[in-house]
Amino acid sequence: MSKPVDSAAANVARVESAAGTHEFPIRSGTIGPNVIEISKLYSETGYFTYDPGFTSTASCESKITYIDGDAGILLYRGYPIDQLAEQSNFLEIAYLLLTGELPSKTEFDEFEHAITHHTMVHEQLHRFFSGFRRDAHPMAIMCGVVGALSAFYHDSTDINDPRQRLVASRRLIAKMPTIAAMAFKYSIGQPFVYPDNDLDYTASFLKMCFAVPTATYRVNPILSRAMDRIFILHADHEQNASTSTVRLASSSGANPFACIAAGIACLWGPAHGGANEAALNMLVEIGSADRIPEYVRKAKDKNDPFRLMGFGHRVYKNYDPRAKVMQQTCHEVLDELGVKNEPLLEVAMELEKIALSDEYFIEKKLYPNIDFYSGITLKAMGFPTTMFTALFALARTVGWVAQWNEMIEDPSQRIGRPRQLYIGHTPRDYVPLAER
Ligand code: SDX
């Protein structure tokens, strides 16, 4: 089968095969690469496409997030991430990603009131935690407890009812901080702290994480602003692995809580959201700048599975715009906390400098991604490394929920069911045990 010919004039791609020439429409979005619509390829030619890892596959239409990997551009509903990180707040971003527009004051106040009054979880949910060992990874707890929400909120699991979808969306966004904070408190043997409706979304989350019954907790506004900005940076990112997992799970009609739990499970992997935890562990292992060349060599060695965690990206072949904001936030937090000469930051910055001047990384267009600096910041704020990906999941729930709603409202969407290139045995007869 020959390569499709992009006849822009005819606005079709032509595929020639033994069965003749077939034309498939080329479609354009508002910005970004065109697509060849191949949904009829198999029925017309008997061929599948083959694209492991979906490097050249668009799985859906979406209006939510746009990434230009070559230019290092990230837009949420058309707004550049650096402007949003600087001027907006996470709950406003949640409204923007969900609805497509920035809210008026009245709209934001209604949304914030609704989210604030969904932040508590059913009291019986507390018992789920005692079933885990104290050293359970917070992501293991998040997978289990978020999935278990399906057992508590039957009045918002009918995905075909827009009202129930709205309630489920708001419940998930509201309860993720509470569940993440409970996972953290459980892991350190401290009592759960309830949400505080007198505080904003992120300040209440920090209080749930760091308040103790024996003292009055005051939120540090600089740290709360930094945490809120980190949530903004992690809110959505087009059709990444965990978002695609949520969409695929939702395509079968599964309830929203189960689908978000599936997204959490996928995000946990070190190649994806788990990279923030892995990146910090890597910086700790490197320990000092003089050991960087040894690790850069390992990262370049084809026979060594080691990779520089927090480096590289399927889409960004330029600096991840979120990493720039994350690095600025890292310096702000360390300054606010009076942390001078943080050795991990010094190793990270030296590693970045060496890697970005190394032919291997230049040729493969490997740049720091969002996970490279986030861990240093979160560690300085008092979070253990094992909580980093849970914080990513908390923020990404907004994107998952927005993408979930968009998929259900898309009339062209149907159950996701890829095919394969079969390379197994041709038919053969069973051989009874006595004859083997
Ligand atoms: C996130 O998709 C998203 O949008 C994800 C995310 C989001 O917000 O949802 O942005 C969040 O997951 C960020 C990525 C976090 N992961 C890491 O930092 C882990 C380290 N990075 C890599 O594992 C890798 O870069 C990936 C997984 C991120 C991307 O993998 P790809 O696109 O499949 O690229 P690849 O593995 O085919 O690598 C291309 C080449 C390979 O060399 P060759 O086989 O071509 O010779 O680059 C090399 C790789 O060996 N390479 C690296 C490297 N990343 C890629 N070499 C050393 N160190 C690295 N980090």
Side-chain angles (χ1 to χ4, degrees):
M1 184 166 90
S2 67
K3 200 163 74 66
V5 174
D6 177 352
S7 316
N11 218 18
V12 295
R14 285 195 184 83
V15 169
E16 284 149 22
S17 74
T21 301
H22 309 271
E23 294 188 343
F24 299 95
I26 290 173
R27 292 183 52 206
S28 303
T30 39
I31 40 177
N34 292 341
V35 298
I36 301 171
E37 183 147 3
I38 56 161
S39 47
K40 294 192 171 37
L41 177 76
Y42 177 60
S43 58
E44 289 190 14
T45 70
Y47 287 94
F48 295 142
T49 59
Y50 181 65
D51 183 17
F54 309 122
T55 50
S56 303
T57 295
S59 61
C60 62
E61 292 179 342
S62 181
K63 300 175 182 173
I64 299 173
T65 293
Y66 175 72
I67 304 170
D68 180 331
D70 294 328
I73 290 170
L74 169 59
L75 308 176
Y76 287 168
R77 296 287 189 175
Y79 296 100
I81 189 66
D82 53 332
Q83 290 184 29
L84 294 174
E86 190 53 43
Q87 302 177 55
S88 185
N89 64 71
F90 181 65
L91 216 48
E92 184 176 75
I93 297 296
Y95 184 97
L96 171 67
L97 289 171
L98 282 170
T99 66
E101 298 300 334
L102 290 168
S104 66
K105 173 96 175 59
T106 310
E107 289 165 334
F108 180 75
D109 291 347
E110 186 280 329
F111 183 66
E112 184 177 44
H113 181 271
I115 295 295
T116 303
H117 291 84
H118 274 297
T119 48
M120 284 176 71
V121 293
H122 192 293
E123 200 65 8
Q124 274 184 239
L125 213 68
H126 290 211
R127 295 185 199 156
F128 277 77
F129 290 81
S130 54
F132 291 99
R133 287 172 35 154
R134 286 286 180 181
D135 62 353
H137 195 291
M139 284 298 276
I141 296 176
M142 298 286 281
C143 288
V145 175
V146 172
L149 292 175
S150 319
F152 287 81
Y153 298 110
H154 299 110
D155 61 341
S156 60
T157 53
D158 175 358
I159 64 169
N160 299 306
D161 176 348
R163 172 87 196 122
Q164 292 199 31
R165 284 210 308 276
L166 179 72
V167 174
S169 303
R170 290 178 167 187
R171 276 177 167 151
L172 280 159
I173 292 168
K175 296 179 193 307
M176 282 299 276
T178 309
I179 294 168
M182 290 170 78
F184 174 44
K185 284 302 201 184
Y186 185 75
S187 72
I188 57 176
Q190 287 187 2
F192 297 143
V193 175
Y194 285 89
D196 182 339
N197 288 359
D198 294 332
L199 297 174
D200 68 36
Y201 184 90
T202 301
S204 176
F205 170 66
L206 290 178
K207 181 175 180 182
M208 288 191 280
C209 289
F210 298 114
V212 288
T214 51
T216 305
Y217 179 78
R218 284 188 185 73
V219 179
N220 177 322
I222 305 287
L223 299 186
S224 186
R225 177 76 193 113
M227 185 83 262
D228 196 76
R229 192 183 305 140
I230 291 171
F231 287 162
I232 291 173
L233 297 176
H234 287 83
D236 192 53
H237 212 236
E238 199 214 66
Q239 305 311 318
N240 58 83
S242 54
T243 297
S244 299
T245 300
V246 171
R247 280 179 170 261
L248 192 59
S250 308
S251 73
S252 75
N255 76 71
F257 305 104
C259 296
I260 298 303
I264 294 171
C266 177
L267 186 74
W268 194 0
H272 190 14
N276 53 17
E277 176 177 354
L280 192 90
N281 291 336
M282 175 191 72
L283 293 173
V284 170
E285 185 184 330
I286 293 173
S288 59
D290 61 316
R291 297 190 64 200
I292 289 174
E294 170 197 342
Y295 281 85
V296 169
R297 261 194 312 279
K298 281 169 61 71
K300 292 159 61 174
D301 179 355
K302 278 280 142 257
N303 301 316
D304 190 326
F306 173 78
R307 288 194 165 180
L308 285 187
M309 302 315 284
F311 257 79
H313 199 277
R314 170 64 56 77
V315 178
Y316 288 123
K317 301 309 172 191
N318 199 325
Y319 212 102
D320 182 337
R322 304 168 297 175
K324 283 181 188 154
V325 181
M326 184 60 75
Q327 192 188 57
Q328 292 157 14
T329 304
C330 185
H331 287 292
E332 262 178 49
V333 166
L334 295 182
D335 291 348
E336 171 63 17
L337 294 171
V339 176
K340 303 280 182 238
N341 312 318
E342 161 59 64
L344 293 175
L345 180 59
E346 289 181 6
V347 170
M349 293 179 75
E350 182 62 16
L351 175 55
E352 175 185 342
K353 197 168 79 180
I354 293 173
L356 295 187
S357 58
D358 183 291
E359 196 42 49
Y360 174 91
F361 291 87
I362 294 169
E363 184 254 327
K364 293 184 187 298
K365 298 183 178 176
L366 301 174
Y367 291 85
N369 58 52
I370 190 167
D371 296 310
F372 191 60
Y373 286 105
S374 54
I376 299 168
T377 311
L378 297 173
K379 175 178 178 289
M381 293 176 79
F383 291 105
T385 313
T386 51
M387 271 297 289
F388 294 175
T389 310
L391 298 171
F392 193 153
L394 185 167
R396 185 53 58 88
T397 295
V398 163
W400 289 333
V401 164
Q403 300 267 354
W404 169 69
N405 278 292
E406 182 179 66
M407 192 208 84
I408 291 172
E409 290 159 11
D410 178 350
S412 73
Q413 280 298 320
R414 47 207 295 217
I415 189 164
R417 205 286 186 209
R419 300 301 303 274
Q420 63 182 9
L421 175 66
Y422 178 69
I423 55 171
H425 284 286
T426 54
R428 52 181 175 163
D429 295 328
Y430 179 79
V431 178
L433 183 59
E435 297 171 25
R436 284 180 226 153

